Amino acid sequence: MFMNISLERMRRWGLMGGMAILDQGVFSGGNFLSNILLARWLYPEDYGAYAIGFAISIFFLQLIMSYILEPMAVLGTSSYGENLKDYLGAQLRLYFVMIVPLSLLFTVVVYFFRQFGGNPLVCNILMAMGLSICFTLLPWMLRRAFYILGRPDISVKGSIIYAVLLITFVNFVKRFDILTGLSAVFTVALSGLIAGFFLAKEVGWNVIAKSVIPLRSVFLENWAFGKWLLASGLLITIGGQAQIFLSGALLGIESAGIVSAMQALSQPMTLSITAISAMVTPNLAADFAKADFVSFKNKAISMTVILTILASIYELLLFLFKTPLESFLFGGKFTANADLIPIWGLTPLIMAMVSGMQYSLLAAKRPYAILIASLLWVPLTLGSGTVLTRYWGLLGVAWSTVFGYLVLGLVLTFLYWYWLRKTFKRVIQI
């Protein structure tokens, strides 16, 4: 099957994904560097509380990805190809309609939890995150819109604005000795607001405010496609962030900070996978809608090969340079835990190896495949994480993460074979 992949095809997709990788590199680089600075400069408990708050923010991000970004990538090109910009404007309006009331409700719930004995340090950060999450996630929403429009170069500009402002603000609050987990939340939100304003201006205020596509129809279409992704998104968040909460609950808040710092070194590769898949998924959806299964399959294979090569190289670098990396980035603060770095690097490698199958299932409008995989992944991750953390501490946290992603990858592989590979064989025979 791999013989169908020409060097020309790989070169073309490499060039197409190059701008997306640059965008993701700048954006995730800003987040990565700010996270490194916070890990170095904050007190251990303060950074641990911030890590827990950041893990909660991933829930909101996954919610937006499941209900808006993934349906937008698949339905936009396949159903609204001639009216794509108006469609994206309607999706942006839906973003605000969803995220504002949910974030306010979350803030109120955390407030009452604090009143009844919740950890004040953690709860204050969570309330700040709830009040500002709308702005924090805005660049994620708008950058994906420009991927679908085929203009990742504009996403790059927005990411540069975001990254420069974020690092500047973090250094500013450090210089004036007001850097805390709480102030860190607001620096991220302010950076997101300014970058989001720039990207929204590029979309066009008239397009956002006066989209001819009814909001109700977009809401219902997203629900029809995204209801499975919503359920799986919740499970994915639990499975992906469980280690932060398990380490904080079983080993102490400081351990949650250690887990966050060690995981951070695998995030650039994880986000690169997200960037390339965001570029390829609309094209996969268009091919599937036209029943061009040869092109559909070849694009999925090309993406898998490219991402697996990149993730393998990245993992090798993490393994070879784990100690120098920790010393350079964290100043020796986590030297005792440097061996955890390449273990977490295995998770993006696993996801790269199944990326073509995962996003083929989404493009083929089978989002419930992710739900099925998550229903097996999450209980096994939580169960193994609880047991291994009690016996092995942070090493158990890391290996339970890898085990969970391995299960997820195996289930996605089976579902791809069961649903899509058989379909391709029948079509070819016909």
Side-chain angles (χ1 to χ4, degrees):
M1 140 171 103
F2 287 96
M3 296 299 292
N4 293 328
I5 307 173
S6 66
L7 291 176
E8 176 61 24
R9 178 180 294 277
M10 293 185 68
R11 186 190 69 83
R12 185 168 63 252
W13 278 103
L15 291 174
M16 289 182 63
M19 190 63 72
I21 291 178
L22 176 60
D23 169 59
Q24 198 65 58
V26 173
F27 188 82
S28 62
N31 285 320
F32 175 78
L33 184 54
S34 67
N35 194 33
I36 296 300
L37 295 176
L38 293 174
R40 289 180 66 124
W41 291 341
L42 290 175
Y43 291 109
E45 284 195 0
D46 209 15
Y47 180 67
Y50 174 82
I52 292 173
F54 181 79
I56 291 292
S57 72
I58 299 299
F59 167 79
F60 286 95
L61 175 60
Q62 189 64 54
L63 180 68
I64 295 303
M65 288 183 66
S66 301
Y67 192 74
I68 297 181
L69 299 187
E70 298 296 354
M72 186 170 75
V74 174
L75 301 178
T77 52
S78 61
S79 303
Y80 293 91
E82 297 181 356
N83 202 20
L84 193 53
K85 207 165 187 179
D86 277 334
Y87 173 73
L88 297 176
Q91 291 282 15
L92 183 57
R93 289 164 55 201
L94 180 61
Y95 166 80
F96 286 107
V97 169
M98 279 187 57
I99 198 70
V100 171
L102 285 175
S103 60
L104 291 177
L105 176 62
F106 173 79
T107 304
V108 171
V109 170
V110 174
Y111 172 79
F112 282 107
F113 179 72
R114 184 184 187 279
Q115 298 301 108
F116 287 95
N119 186 302
L121 182 61
V122 175
C123 288
N124 287 342
I125 288 176
L126 291 180
M127 286 190 290
M129 186 272 296
L131 291 173
S132 61
I133 196 69
C134 176
F135 307 124
T136 301
L137 299 183
L138 188 57
W140 292 84
M141 173 73 192
L142 287 164
R143 287 168 51 249
R144 180 67 70 90
F146 284 106
Y147 283 15
I148 297 170
L149 288 170
R151 293 296 308 275
D153 57 303
I154 297 178
S155 297
V156 172
K157 295 176 183 177
S159 293
I160 291 173
I161 293 171
Y162 172 82
V164 170
L165 289 175
L166 180 58
I167 302 306
T168 301
F169 290 155
V170 169
N171 279 277
F172 178 84
V173 294
K174 169 64 175 176
R175 180 178 180 182
F176 286 89
D177 201 26
I178 55 174
L179 179 62
T180 63
L182 191 62
S183 63
V185 172
F186 288 116
T187 60
V188 176
L190 182 58
S191 303
L193 173 62
I194 297 173
F197 183 88
F198 165 79
L199 292 170
K201 182 175 178 294
E202 292 296 315
V203 173
W205 298 113
N206 290 336
V207 173
I208 297 171
K210 301 177 181 180
S211 173
V212 297
I213 300 175
L215 194 62
R216 184 174 183 275
S217 66
V218 175
F219 177 87
L220 294 176
E221 286 178 349
N222 283 12
W223 173 252
F225 182 89
K227 58 188 175 185
W228 303 106
L229 291 176
L230 273 175
S232 60
L234 176 60
L235 293 172
I236 287 170
T237 304
I238 294 172
Q241 301 302 316
Q243 288 72 25
I244 296 285
F245 300 109
L246 284 174
S247 57
L250 299 177
L251 305 175
I253 293 179
E254 292 183 14
S255 295
I258 295 173
V259 170
S260 178
M262 298 298 97
Q263 280 183 327
L265 297 181
S266 65
Q267 287 176 1
M269 188 63 238
T270 300
L271 294 174
S272 295
I273 293 172
T274 301
I276 294 181
S277 62
M279 285 291 294
V280 177
T281 300
N283 293 281
L284 289 173
D287 284 345
F288 194 86
K290 295 182 293 185
D292 188 354
F293 296 129
V294 173
S295 177
F296 179 93
K297 184 175 68 171
N298 287 339
K299 286 175 182 175
I301 294 171
S302 298
M303 179 173 70
T304 303
V305 171
I306 292 169
L307 288 176
T308 300
I309 292 172
L310 291 175
S312 299
I313 295 171
Y314 192 84
E315 170 63 6
L316 180 61
L317 293 174
L318 290 181
F319 178 78
L320 293 176
F321 300 105
K322 56 188 177 183
T323 302
L325 273 173
E326 189 285 326
S327 179
F328 175 74
L329 295 173
F330 301 111
K333 190 174 182 178
F334 305 110
T335 299
N337 308 109
D339 287 338
L340 300 177
I341 293 173
I343 298 176
W344 261 297
L346 292 171
T347 58
L349 176 58
I350 293 170
M351 296 315 298
M353 294 171 68
V354 299
S355 58
M357 291 176 280
Q358 176 182 352
Y359 289 96
S360 291
L361 288 165
L362 287 176
K365 299 184 179 181
R366 295 184 183 270
Y368 40 84
I370 312 301
L371 175 59
I372 294 171
S374 300
L375 286 172
L376 293 172
W377 171 40
V378 172
L380 289 173
T381 297
L382 290 175
S384 64
T386 301
V387 173
L388 294 179
T389 301
R390 289 185 182 277
Y391 285 96
W392 293 351
L394 290 175
L395 186 63
V397 175
W399 279 115
S400 67
T401 305
V402 175
F403 174 70
Y405 275 91
L406 184 60
V407 171
L408 180 65
L410 289 173
V411 176
L412 289 173
T413 300
F414 171 77
L415 294 177
Y416 173 86
W417 174 84
Y418 185 77
W419 278 324
L420 296 187
R421 187 170 173 80
K422 288 183 176 180
T423 300
F424 298 151
K425 284 186 175 181
R426 284 198 298 268
V427 171
I428 292 173
Q429 287 173 356
I430 292 173

